[in-house]
């Protein structure tokens, strides 16, 4: 791809981080909005600098482009545009982990687990998953250039859900009888604004990392439309009406799925988007009510389901356009499913172990009193909305 065009796509891909941040700010309660915004900025700054340092080390260590490491370094760290792409990939775990644990995670614990997942666990699982799928050894059809992006989505979403489970639900979310209480979002317009940015950033990220950018954008639009309509139909048939926020979750899941699918197969993108819309409402309810996973932002499940089905769509790419790979399609699908399963299991294990370690150190979750009064006042002595500021800062006297 032309370096200038790649830089444009890479810059637009950063909209994913902006969109995730706005969505999370709208999803939390008003008394934690300022903390969410500040943590997003701090996490972004850390990951940008650490990714740059890791990239420079990667270029120096893997200077042979014939090796897997050298090929990766040559693709993602040779130009500003390619660096923007890898930064966008690195920010996916930060967004989904931060959104899943919003309102109750400590800053240092959140930063530490995000850095470890992004710079250590993610790359290791990417190498392992691509090896299982035949991407590295070449014993199965090549799944194109989207392998690192698929793994980033899977690791980010799975780690977010696992950490939300490990850190525990927000105070007052679940009752003793197992029922759940609805905690209203702070601002639906802010959430929807973030979702609109995601509709731009997610296809641009796939277009920058992969190939055929125009086709990927079209596939994203088609899959998002199919998933949205099917979700509305499923909700209406089940409860007689549809949740006004669920279509927005469906459109994100469909966008992820369509952007990863084979660019040569728009009908396949529509079909996979419809499957996403069929399962997303059911799985979201199950995770919340049955598994008691309080995933604050609601972003992890759409990304996870979209990435799983999108990976199957990506596996069909070599079979489109008259190509005839040696390996049968069913074998390629099985290789991809095995790779996805391994990534999901190991992501859960790694995140859970990290969470247990941080919990033992007291770095994982804020105190219950701080959580109830909100992170803005409880940890930062400030309120995002001065009109609701107390005359005396309550948290100051609590610490005396």
């Amino acid at each position: 791809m032309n370096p200038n065009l790649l830089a444009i796509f890479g810059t637009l891909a950063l909209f994913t981080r902006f969109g995730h941040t706005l969505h999370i700010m709208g999803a939390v309660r008003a008394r934690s909005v300022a903390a969410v915004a500040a943590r997003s900025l701090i996490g972004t700054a850390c990951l940008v600098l650490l990714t740059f340092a890791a990239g420079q080390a990667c270029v120096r260590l893997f200077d042979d482009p014939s090796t897997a490491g050298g090929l990766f370094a040559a693709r993602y760290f040779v130009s500003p545009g390619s660096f923007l792409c890898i930064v966008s990939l690195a920010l996916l775990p930060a967004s989904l982990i931060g959104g899943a644990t919003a309102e109750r995670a400590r800053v240092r614990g959140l930063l530490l687990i995000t850095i470890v997942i992004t710079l250590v666990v993610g790359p290791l699982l990417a190498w392992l998953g691509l090896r299982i799928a035949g991407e590295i050894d070449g014993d199965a059809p090549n799944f194109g250039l989207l392998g690192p992006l698929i793994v980033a989505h899977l690791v980010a979403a799975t780690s977010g859900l696992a950490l939300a489970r490990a850190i525990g639900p927000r105070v007052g979310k679940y009752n003793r009888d197992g029922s759940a209480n609805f905690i209203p979002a702070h601002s639906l317009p802010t959430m929807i604004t973030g979702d609109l940015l995601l509709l731009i950033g997610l296809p641009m990220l796939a277009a920058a990392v992969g190939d055929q950018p125009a086709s990927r954008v079209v596939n994203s639009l088609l899959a998002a439309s199919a998933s949205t309509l099917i979700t509305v139909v499923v909700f209406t048939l089940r409860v007689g009406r549809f949740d006004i926020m669920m279509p927005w979750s469906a459109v994100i899941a469909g966008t992820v799925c369509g952007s990863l699918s084979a660019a040569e197969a728009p009908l396949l993108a529509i079909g996979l988007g419809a499957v996403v819309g069929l399962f997303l409402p059911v799985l979201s309810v199950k995770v919340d009510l049955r598994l008691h996973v309080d995933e604050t932002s609601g972003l992890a499940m759409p990304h996870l389901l979209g990435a799983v089905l999108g990976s199957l769509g990506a596996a069909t790419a070599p079979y489109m356009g008259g190509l005839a790979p040696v390996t049968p399609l069913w074998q390629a699908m099985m290789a991809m499913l095995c790779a996805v399963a391994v990534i999901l299991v190991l992501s859960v294990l790694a995140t859970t172990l990290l969470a247990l370690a941080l919990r033992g150190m007291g770095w994982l979750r804020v105190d219950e009193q701080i959580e109830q009064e909100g992170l803005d006042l409880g940890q930062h002595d400030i309120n995002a909305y001065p009109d609701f500021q107390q005359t005396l800062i309550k948290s100051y006297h609590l610490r005396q």
Side-chain angles (χ1 to χ4, degrees), residues 160-178:
L161 290 171
L163 187 58
R165 175 66 177 177
I167 199 174
R170 288 169 289 178
V171 174
K173 174 63 177 177
Y174 299 108
N175 302 312
R176 292 184 179 181
D177 60 358

Side-chain angles (χ1 to χ4, degrees), residues 111-136:
L111 283 177
L112 181 59
I113 198 169
T114 299
I115 291 171
V116 173
I117 292 294
T118 301
L119 299 181
V120 179
V121 176
L124 290 176
L125 292 183
W127 177 85
L128 180 61
L130 296 177
R131 188 179 183 88
I132 294 173
E135 183 78 11
I136 294 177

Side-chain angles (χ1 to χ4, degrees), residues 75-76 89 130 135 142-152 205-211 216 258-263 310 314:
R75 171 160 179 78
Y76 289 106
L89 290 177
L130 296 177
E135 183 78 11
N142 188 284
F143 297 119
L145 303 171
L146 293 174
L149 178 57
I150 293 173
V151 176
L205 180 55
V209 176
D211 54 357
R216 294 203 178 278
S259 65
L260 300 178
S261 299

Side-chain angles (χ1 to χ4, degrees), residues 8 58 77 106 119 131 201-202 207 215 252 288 331 372 375:
I8 294 174
C58 187
F77 296 103
R106 291 186 179 273
L119 299 181
R131 188 179 183 88
L202 290 170
S215 297
I252 294 173
D288 184 14
Q331 187 173 342
Q372 288 181 336
L375 297 181

Side-chain angles (χ1 to χ4, degrees), residues 261-343:
S261 299
E264 305 87 347
L267 292 180
L268 177 63
I270 294 175
L272 291 175
V275 176
V276 167
L278 181 65
F279 284 100
L280 181 62
V282 178
L283 291 178
S284 298
V285 172
K286 296 283 186 185
V287 167
D288 184 14
L289 299 183
R290 297 292 179 85
L291 300 181
H292 285 184
V293 177
D294 183 17
E295 202 275 286
T296 308
S297 66
L299 288 169
M301 183 54 66
H303 278 270
L304 177 60
L305 187 57
V308 170
L309 291 176
S311 66
L312 296 180
T316 65
Y319 301 87
M320 302 298 171
L323 298 178
V326 177
T327 306
L329 178 59
W330 69 269
Q331 187 173 342
M333 290 290 189
M334 290 303 298
M336 180 61 82
L337 287 175
C338 289
V340 169
V342 169
I343 291 171

Side-chain angles (χ1 to χ4, degrees), residues 185-272:
H186 149 248
S187 173
L188 293 183
T190 303
M191 289 180 64
I192 293 173
T193 302
D195 295 339
L196 292 175
L197 289 178
L198 288 176
L199 298 185
I200 300 173
L202 290 170
M204 291 299 103
L205 180 55
V209 176
D211 54 357
Q212 303 186 44
S215 297
R216 294 203 178 278
V217 174
V218 171
N219 279 7
S220 300
L221 180 61
L222 294 174
S225 300
S227 63
T228 301
L229 293 179
I230 294 298
T231 294
V232 170
V233 171
V234 170
F235 243 100
T236 303
L237 292 178
R238 286 174 62 91
V239 298
R241 56 178 174 78
F242 65 88
D243 187 328
I244 59 174
M245 287 309 301
M246 187 56 66
W248 289 100
S249 297
V251 80
I252 294 173
T255 301
V256 173
C257 177
S259 65
L260 300 178
S261 299
E264 305 87 347
L267 292 180
L268 177 63
I270 294 175
L272 291 175

